[in-house]
């Protein structure tokens, strides 16, 4: 049962949580769901609303883990469930098969997107020096010598920073529940 305001003084903790979740994750969540629903904005807004409602009903699910991947997983499950429900009922109106196929995005694409966000959040936790060396060596595919020149540091420093940056990244990912 939702908590009510006491004598009209400010929002309740639940309202504040819901507003904070929507403020921080609403835009990216809506964009993600729009892609899953093939651009059906009304359906996407309903899915975002239901996702936030589930977060409000189960605040314990948000503690001890990154919030955005949980929200994206719930939203994806809602879209998939709605798609399956439509397929299991007799067709009332003509549906464009191409749109339906587009709405049922493969789990691999979704998992890749969630992993990308998780890695980006973990990278953001690293120091600027560690992040820079990983960007040069892994994302830009530069050799140690090229990264050394681009960053203006000795090659030995590039090697050691890469080693320690990878260790820090691994720890940050493990904190988010990503395991090898």
């Amino acid at each position: 049962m939702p908590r009510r305001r006491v004598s009209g003084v400010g929002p309740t903790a639940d309202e504040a949580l819901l507003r904070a979740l929507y403020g921080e994750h609403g835009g990216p969540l809506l964009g993600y769901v729009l892609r899953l629903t093939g651009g059906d904005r009304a359906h996407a807004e309903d899915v975002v609303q239901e996702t936030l409602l589930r977060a409000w009903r189960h605040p314990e699910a948000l503690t001890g883990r990154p919030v955005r991947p949980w929200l994206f997983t719930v939203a994806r499950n809602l879209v998939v469930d709605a798609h399956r429900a439509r397929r299991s009922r007799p067709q009332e109106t003509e549906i464009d098969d191409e749109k339906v196929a587009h709405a049922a995005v493969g789990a691999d694409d979704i998992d890749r997107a969630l992993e990308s966000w998780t890695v980006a959040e973990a990278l953001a936790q690293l120091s600027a020096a560690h992040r820079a060396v990983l960007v040069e060596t892994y994302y830009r595919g530069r050799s140690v010598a090229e990264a050394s020149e681009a960053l203006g540091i000795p090659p030995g420093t590039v090697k050691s920073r890469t080693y320690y940056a990878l260790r820090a990244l691994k720890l940050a990912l493990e904190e988010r529940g990503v395991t090898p």
Side-chain angles (χ1 to χ4, degrees):
M1 177 172 220
R3 295 183 190 120
R4 301 193 188 276
R5 290 183 188 172
V6 179
S7 349
V9 178
T12 65
D14 291 340
E15 290 172 339
L17 169 68
L18 207 50
R19 286 182 182 162
L21 282 174
Y22 185 78
E24 187 174 345
H25 305 288
L29 186 59
L30 180 61
Y32 172 69
V33 176
L34 275 168
R35 286 189 301 275
L36 291 179
T37 60
D40 182 353
R41 186 165 186 93
H43 181 59
E45 289 175 351
D46 289 343
V47 170
V48 168
Q49 183 177 8
E50 179 63 26
T51 301
L52 293 173
L53 181 62
R54 290 188 183 194
W56 176 71
R57 285 182 181 157
H58 303 285
E60 72 281 356
L62 304 176
T63 56
R65 69 171 70 186
V67 175
R68 189 169 286 180
W70 185 85
L71 291 172
F72 278 61
T73 300
V74 170
R76 176 179 54 103
N77 290 343
L78 289 170
V79 170
V80 169
D81 289 347
H83 175 70
R84 287 179 181 160
R86 280 192 306 272
R87 283 186 31 209
S88 68
R89 290 192 295 259
Q91 198 172 6
E92 295 175 10
T93 60
E94 190 173 320
I95 296 176
D96 184 2
D97 290 338
E98 206 170 284
K99 281 188 178 179
V100 172
H102 183 56
V105 175
D108 289 340
D109 293 338
I110 294 166
D111 290 339
R112 255 192 316 251
L114 288 174
E115 286 173 4
S116 294
W117 278 312
T118 304
V119 170
E121 287 176 350
L123 276 171
Q125 269 193 325
L126 300 180
S127 70
H130 283 167
R131 192 172 38 253
V133 78
L134 288 181
V135 167
E136 293 299 324
T137 56
Y138 283 90
Y139 289 101
R140 293 194 176 134
R142 293 187 172 162
S143 67
V144 171
E146 292 169 335
S148 169
E149 186 176 316
L151 296 171
I153 57 177
T157 304
V158 171
K159 289 179 185 179
S160 65
R161 279 191 191 164
T162 302
Y163 173 78
Y164 288 109
L166 288 173
R167 287 181 58 188
L169 182 61
K170 179 182 176 189
L171 180 63
L173 289 170
E174 286 174 350
E175 289 173 355
R176 287 170 168 70
V178 178
T179 55

